[in-house]
Amino acid sequence: MTDNSPTPKVRTRFAPSPTGFLHIGGARTTLFNWLFARHHKGDFVLRIEDTDEVRSTEDSVTAILDSIRWMGMDWDEGPSDLTQSRGPYGPYFQMQRLEIYRKYLDQLLKEGKAYRCYCSKEELDAMRRLAQLEKRPPRYDGRCRRLTDKQRGELETAGKKFSVRFKMPADGATMVPDLIRGAVSFENKLQQDLVIWKTSDGPTYNFACVVDDHLMEISHVIRGDEHLSNTPSQIQIYEALGWSLPRFAHLSMIMGPDGTKLSKRHGATSVLEYRDQGFLPAALRNYLALLGWSTSDSQQIFEEDELISKFDLAGCQKNPATFDPVKLTWMNSEYIRKTPVPELLEMAKPFFAAAKVDTAKGPALEKATALEREKYKLLSEIPGLVSFFYQDKVEFSQKAMDKVLRQPGVKDVLNGLRDDLRGFEPFTEKPLEDRIRKFCADKGLKTGQVFHPLRAAVSGRTDGPSLFAMLEIMGREKVVSRIESAAALLSA
Ligand code: GLU
């Protein structure tokens, strides 16, 4: 089949239902839509599908918008705050579009492509139970589709509440042309007459979604494969309304490391939890890009521009992707390593505030942070690893106390070091190293007998950054006074 129609402008959308936080799967869907739009210099639209009045919340809208913003993905059209939106196809909150849906509902009713269904919840439940008993798929049996005008009139006169169902073809098949999976065929007899308008007087997802994707001129519907089974009904609705189809791409499912569908059991699932744990947005983005997509050379780390320039749907796999927290953490440490320290510190600010590390008193934070940059896996670890520089009084770990400081001869070593370093110039890494090594040789001590107590005395710890670089950054005054305090503690 050749398609001679001009290629439409690429317009993608992410259309969350605001019934919870933005989870890893939703973030991956957002990312793929955003990358695809940016790659093709198209538009990325954000649409809030808030028609589930019971479960939709403003908190959820806030969390979703915050998550997408935090991940550094901008939208060209969509919400500007909790109720307002901007863009030529707005509004972008479905609850503000009810009149639009009503118009197309009326069209379908008028053309006999949809019908009012007066079945009560009890009747529908009974229908479902019977189907279960008879081991049939639990579908609506179509009884209101067959009502006579007279019966319908009576129900109307009785003021019976109704929903509206879409007439699905009874036989044949609906083919979903999918850019990732190829053609997927669904037997129509297995689909039921779908409710497109609820008794509570509003559209259902499948209906509103089709109307909006069409009116918003969405060229590519890229979404998780849990929606693949909705697509045949949606395609039937497009056809009933006389509209051409967008392209569809259903992204592979995301599994946890144990091979079951990713869920809370596997740990954090919300984007904001990852932010709060100390992941970098760029690292999470890079990691999520590889959940179901790859380049032919299996590149792992991408610059942002590179992700945009290399992303395509041809590289998307239909097999499930596995979410691997260990790999994500590794990627985060790679990003920490390549991010300039001032930027890292800007992002780590909330963690410093939470850890109550007052960095005003002490060495320049940039220098302290740079010392151990290779070790950080999470931004949240940074305050804890540099905090000793800023303590008024060194907090000694149990290990530093028992294994190092409380060993025979340590007090003398510390007193000797204090005298040796008190007037020492220049107090910089290399000269310090030479001087302290000479101190060891002069006293006939092994380096370990001096280095370990010195580290423990000034930092309270048994491990940490390179000793001499750490001394330089701490500065002579603090080093000498800390050695003195530790020695005094041992005398006490
Ligand atoms: N509101 C739907 C959801 O959050 C969107 C599905 C779609 O992308 O069509 O799952």
Side-chain angles (χ1 to χ4, degrees), residues 86-253:
R86 56 181 163 75
Y89 300 81
Y92 296 83
F93 289 86
Q94 286 190 326
M95 284 307 273
Q96 298 172 14
R97 302 172 59 81
L98 294 180
E99 286 317 308
I100 301 173
Y101 308 129
R102 229 171 240 131
K103 173 175 157 206
Y104 294 101
L105 178 77
D106 290 345
Q107 179 182 329
L108 289 176
L109 282 168
K110 208 175 314 136
E111 292 176 359
K113 293 172 177 169
Y115 59 92
R116 288 183 174 185
C117 169
Y118 302 89
C119 292
S120 64
K121 192 179 168 299
E122 291 69 32
E123 280 170 286
L124 294 171
D125 286 345
M127 224 177 280
R128 210 170 295 125
R129 276 197 303 276
L130 184 68
Q132 260 163 9
L133 225 59
E134 294 176 354
K135 299 203 173 7
R136 290 183 284 110
R139 352 176 4 242
Y140 178 64
D141 66 8
R143 63 181 72 163
C144 289
R145 186 171 176 164
R146 295 186 295 268
L147 291 177
T148 61
D149 286 347
K150 180 164 173 282
Q151 288 169 318
R152 196 170 294 118
E154 282 163 13
L155 288 160
E156 288 288 329
T157 317
K160 194 113 175 11
K161 279 192 182 290
F162 60 87
S163 62
V164 177
R165 287 185 184 266
F166 176 74
K167 285 187 185 167
M168 279 296 284
D171 40 36
T174 305
M175 199 270 284
V176 177
D178 187 277
L179 292 169
I180 298 172
R181 278 147 222 275
V184 190
S185 181
F186 290 83
E187 271 190 83
N188 290 337
K189 69 170 190 285
L190 297 178
Q191 313 287 324
Q192 63 177 342
D193 284 353
L194 186 80
V195 174
I196 54 173
W197 202 265
K198 294 179 279 191
T199 321
S200 59
D201 201 21
T204 59
Y205 153 67
N206 277 298
F207 182 55
C209 172
V210 167
V211 172
D212 287 347
D213 284 340
H214 172 75
L215 295 182
M216 294 180 180
E217 295 187 44
I218 299 302
S219 65
H220 292 76
V221 170
I222 304 171
R223 60 187 169 199
D225 74 351
E226 69 274 18
H227 288 293
L228 181 60
S229 59
N230 288 321
T231 312
S233 316
Q234 295 187 4
I235 288 180
Q236 289 295 338
I237 298 174
Y238 277 102
E239 288 178 354
L241 289 165
W243 294 340
S244 58
L245 300 182
R247 313 269 163 120
F248 292 102
H250 290 90
L251 306 174
S252 62
M253 187 186 286

Side-chain angles (χ1 to χ4, degrees), residues 276-437:
D276 297 344
Q277 284 180 14
F279 284 88
L280 269 59
L284 186 60
R285 232 168 30 214
N286 190 152
Y287 180 72
L288 291 181
L290 295 173
L291 278 186
W293 172 77
S294 58
T295 54
S296 51
D297 61 355
S298 298
Q299 183 177 344
Q300 297 294 305
I301 304 277
F302 296 81
E303 298 298 331
E304 179 176 315
D305 292 356
E306 218 182 351
L307 264 186
I308 291 174
S309 67
K310 293 194 173 171
F311 184 81
D312 58 6
L313 291 173
C316 289
Q317 301 112 37
K318 55 183 168 199
N319 297 333
T322 301
F323 182 79
D324 176 359
V326 177
K327 183 171 168 188
L328 169 59
T329 307
W330 164 78
M331 202 168 269
N332 204 52
S333 57
E334 291 295 309
Y335 269 83
I336 288 184
R337 219 165 289 170
K338 72 193 188 89
T339 304
V341 174
E343 250 177 73
L344 272 188
L345 289 173
E346 190 54 40
M347 288 189 276
K349 265 186 183 162
F351 300 106
F352 276 97
K356 299 199 166 55
V357 178
D358 175 8
T359 55
K361 279 181 282 169
L365 187 53
E366 278 185 28
K367 285 190 179 166
T369 304
L371 276 185
E372 283 198 281
R373 180 135 68 118
E374 305 69 44
K375 282 196 198 158
Y376 306 135
K377 294 195 178 73
L378 299 168
L379 292 171
S380 49
E381 295 168 345
I382 302 177
L385 286 170
V386 300
S387 61
F388 69 85
F389 280 110
Y390 304 97
Q391 287 158 354
D392 287 334
K393 243 180 102 203
V394 177
E395 284 166 22
F396 296 98
S397 73
Q398 200 61 44
K399 192 168 164 202
M401 221 49 223
D402 298 347
K403 292 255 158 61
V404 183
L405 294 173
R406 288 215 177 92
Q407 295 299 316
V410 165
K411 199 178 75 185
D412 296 338
V413 168
L414 293 180
N415 285 329
L417 280 171
R418 178 203 53 205
D419 295 341
D420 212 49
L421 298 178
R422 196 179 262 153
F424 182 66
E425 289 273 17
F427 210 81
T428 50
E429 187 172 354
K430 187 70 181 96
L432 272 168
E433 176 167 0
D434 295 343
R435 175 71 167 227
I436 295 168
R437 285 188 186 278

